[in-house]
Amino acid sequence: MTNLQPLPAQSSADTDELLRVENLKVHFPVTKGVIVKKQVGSVKAVDGVSFTLRRGETLGLVGESGCGKSTTGLAVIRMLEATGGRIVFEGQDVTSFDKAQLKDFRRRVQMVYQDPYGSLNPRMKVSDIIGEPLQVHGLDKDHAAYRARIAELLEMVSLAPYMADRYPHEFSGGQRQRIGIARALALEPSLIVCDEPVSALDVSIQAQVVNVFIELQKRLGLTYIFIAHDLAVVRHISDRIAVMYLGRIVEIASRDDLYQRPLHPYTQALLSAVPVADVEAESKRARMVVKGEVPSPLNPPKGCHFHPRCPMAMEKCKTQEPVLTAQGAGRVVACHLLPTN
């Protein structure tokens, strides 16, 4: 394996906590006018998200399309600038990093993208795609070690080393995603943000790619933020799950707790929409149907964002924003229906 240069010493204490996100906000300004632009509002894509992530853990991030999952992931790795809040990685606040610090930070965090077709340059050979991070960080000087590292990365994702000289169009969707995973592994990151990495793949291939993630985590001690809307996939790979709705997290719990006893009405609605293979059990299962459409993040409802669609909403929900409150060991929920202790 190529010997990477030592990273700057971290200021964090000896702890299992790898990442802490505190009150993260990502707002996009909305303007009008052609010559003189005037801001008339902002799209609150992420509006006060907080969570922690331990080393070697997988945090699933779920919710409907447009709830802010991918924006959160992009902000964590600083591909999008945060409007507010803090992102503390290995004890350092990355939101204040300068250009040099940011380059070092990006050796420790990587991303696997949703589209295995659009995320790979069709004009580059696989060896150049996987090796590009090594080139950017000046780790390609020893040509023999560089080629050996690319072969090793291909083998890690169950692809043959001779495939390094092929182009992306010569691979299937599942193989392309494996190439994307190999590229993310090139710099030996501590954290990988997986942005719906199997949603564009055939169902028969999804399980294979998810198993690659699980095997690599066991082998390399990786930490994942796994963004998805498929709750079955999230259940298979995650240790804990955070549920997002309209830019906010409404519930965080361990995988088993969330699926066995969801507490937030939105989480209950999401899980009740997941089909069960047992026909008899499916026919007897209670359904929780939410009304209406997801409100616009340009003008979100006051109070609890979910209250216009919640069948259990109270007057309090319309005016007061619920905060994430502990509801047992390792679980937090933002809902006025639950005790605040």
Side-chain angles (χ1 to χ4, degrees):
M1 181 182 294
T2 303
N3 292 322
L4 301 185
Q5 298 297 319
L7 294 170
Q10 303 303 312
S11 59
S12 61
D14 185 17
T15 176
D16 283 339
E17 184 179 287
L18 179 70
L19 176 72
R20 176 175 291 272
V21 176
E22 299 175 348
N23 198 30
L24 177 66
K25 297 181 180 181
V26 182
H27 297 175
F28 299 104
V30 176
T31 60
K32 69 176 182 179
V34 178
I35 298 175
V36 179
K37 293 188 178 293
K38 179 181 178 182
Q39 184 171 341
V40 295
S42 60
V43 174
K44 298 178 180 179
V46 178
D47 195 25
V49 163
S50 299
F51 61 87
T52 60
L53 189 61
R54 298 185 298 273
R55 294 180 186 274
E57 181 184 32
T58 298
L59 177 71
L61 198 55
V62 303
E64 294 172 278
S65 297
C67 71
K69 305 185 300 295
S70 296
T71 304
T72 299
L74 291 170
V76 164
I77 65 173
R78 291 239 5 219
M79 287 186 70
L80 285 175
E81 290 301 319
T83 307
R86 298 174 72 224
I87 302 166
V88 181
F89 180 79
E90 295 183 334
Q92 296 178 309
D93 184 356
V94 304
T95 55
S96 61
F97 277 2
D98 59 25
K99 189 174 181 179
Q101 291 173 309
L102 194 57
K103 185 174 182 180
D104 284 329
F105 167 68
R106 285 181 173 154
R107 282 177 53 181
R108 301 195 288 270
V109 297
Q110 290 291 309
M111 191 161 195
V112 176
Y113 297 91
Q114 177 178 1
D115 183 5
Y117 298 89
S119 62
L120 303 181
N121 189 331
R123 297 184 179 182
M124 293 173 66
K125 290 183 178 180
V126 167
S127 58
D128 297 322
I129 291 171
I130 296 176
E132 188 172 25
L134 298 171
Q135 296 168 12
V136 169
H137 289 272
L139 301 174
D140 60 335
K141 307 306 180 186
D142 185 332
H143 184 70
Y146 171 74
R147 294 292 298 186
R149 176 62 173 158
I150 291 171
E152 179 186 30
L153 289 165
L154 284 169
E155 290 177 335
M156 281 184 182
V157 296
S158 301
L159 293 176
Y162 71 82
M163 294 179 175
D165 293 322
R166 294 182 178 179
Y167 289 91
H169 72 269
E170 300 178 71
F171 295 87
S172 66
Q175 290 175 323
R176 292 187 198 195
Q177 197 58 292
R178 290 169 189 258
I179 294 168
I181 296 170
R183 175 177 59 187
L185 292 173
L187 296 172
E188 301 179 8
S190 302
L191 171 66
I192 298 180
V193 177
C194 309
D195 186 12
E196 304 209 29
V198 298
S199 63
L201 305 177
D202 292 339
V203 175
S204 59
I205 305 300
Q206 289 183 3
Q208 297 177 21
V209 175
V210 169
N211 287 336
V212 169
F213 279 112
I214 293 172
E215 290 165 8
L216 288 170
Q217 185 176 46
K218 292 177 181 177
R219 178 177 173 182
L220 304 175
L222 297 171
T223 306
Y224 297 135
I225 296 176
F226 198 92
I227 300 166
H229 61 265
D230 187 329
L231 295 174
V233 171
V234 174
R235 184 174 190 174
H236 185 64
I237 194 173
S238 301
D239 299 299
R240 289 186 302 135
I241 298 171
V243 181
M244 285 191 69
Y245 182 80
L246 204 60
R248 295 176 179 173
I249 288 179
V250 298
E251 184 167 2
I252 303 177
S254 70
R255 172 188 59 196
D256 293 338
D257 285 345
L258 190 89
Y259 281 85
Q260 292 172 10
R261 194 172 64 93
L263 295 182
H264 195 281
Y266 179 63
T267 309
Q268 294 170 8
L270 280 181
L271 293 176
S272 73
V274 178
V276 176
D278 188 324
V279 177
E280 184 175 349
E282 176 73 9
S283 64
K284 296 178 180 178
R285 192 161 61 119
R287 294 281 185 179
M288 182 174 180
V289 180
V290 294
K291 56 188 177 182
E293 300 293 331
V294 179
S296 169
L298 180 61
N299 186 27
K302 293 182 180 179
C304 175
H305 284 178
F306 187 57
H307 86 258
R309 306 177 68 198
C310 180
M312 295 178 277
M314 307 176 293
E315 283 301 315
K316 184 179 182 180
C317 303
K318 300 177 183 179
T319 57
Q320 298 183 29
E321 177 185 339
V323 297
L324 286 170
T325 305
Q327 300 292 334
R331 165 174 276 189
V332 289
V333 187
C335 183
H336 291 309
L337 294 169
L338 300 172
T340 58
N341 298 327

